[in-house]
Amino acid sequence: MTTPVLPDAPASRDGRLQIRAERAAGRPEVAPDEGVELRPAADGKGEGVLATRPFAAGDTVMVGFLVGELSGNDSHATQVGPDRWVRHGGLGPFVNHSCDPNCGVRLNAGQAFDFVARRPIAAGQYLTFDYAMRNFTIDHFPTACLCGALQCRGAVTGWKDLPAARKADYGHLVAPYLRAMDEPLQSPAHHPSVDE
Ligand SMILES: [Zn+2]
């Protein structure tokens, strides 16, 4: 097993220390019956999370849980509000970005994000989601996107720069705060359609 390689992000000192402490504590463990597994990514760089059984569209593929609040953004932070970031435990942080992802995210009762299948997922496929489903801006990733999707937008962008059609496609499988942030801009007085 290799250690995941994090980009040398300009994270706060506390954030970096926290990542190191978590890594020193060992790899995330997931029961085999959860249907997902950590694997080296297809491109040989880093790692990804693989489905070990089929999932139907709408299935909860992975239940999220939090391991801490953060003082700011870093490369493995999850944005949960305009000025709030948290760290997820388990395999969630290893799910890779795609501009045409097979999963979306749904906030659960523990204020963490579950991964939910947007379409059927076969055993042996990597789980993906769009970082723009959780982050308003992307501050700590290289700008070029290498996801390989036909609809790749060329750069890993946040919700702020996501085309309206993509927002519509993702429906409610995005962080609720992102939808809320769009509301003042898309009030009925200005736009008859929310997703226009
Ligand atoms: Zn892409």
Side-chain angles (χ1 to χ4, degrees), residues 97-99 145-149 152-155:
H97 167 89
S98 170
C99 296
C145 182
L146 305 172
C147 79
C152 180
R153 53 190 189 269

Side-chain angles (χ1 to χ4, degrees), residues 5 7 9 12 18 23 39 42 48 62 64 70 72 103 110 127-128 136 145 149 151-153 159 161 166-168 171:
V5 178
S12 71
Q18 189 172 341
R23 278 199 240 155
R39 285 273 187 90
M62 222 170 18
L70 301 173
C103 289
L127 308 184
T128 54
F136 186 67
C145 182
Q151 299 94 322
C152 180
R153 53 190 189 269
W159 180 261
D161 301 306
R166 266 339 252 175
K167 291 184 178 181

Side-chain angles (χ1 to χ4, degrees), residues 64 78-80 88 105-108 111-115 134 175-176:
T78 299
Q79 194 168 4
V80 290
H88 277 79
V105 297
R106 182 189 289 141
L107 198 63
N108 65 28
Q111 297 303 299
F113 286 105
D114 294 340
F115 288 88
R134 293 195 315 203

Side-chain angles (χ1 to χ4, degrees), residues 81-134:
D83 297 305
R84 210 179 138 229
W85 291 267
V86 296
R87 178 101 58 231
H88 277 79
L91 294 185
F94 296 90
V95 177
N96 288 312
H97 167 89
S98 170
C99 296
D100 185 22
N102 55 21
C103 289
V105 297
R106 182 189 289 141
L107 198 63
N108 65 28
Q111 297 303 299
F113 286 105
D114 294 340
F115 288 88
V116 178
R118 296 182 62 229
R119 53 177 181 253
I121 300 173
Q125 285 186 333
Y126 282 93
L127 308 184
T128 54
F129 79 113
D130 189 332
Y131 291 169
M133 290 167 162
R134 293 195 315 203

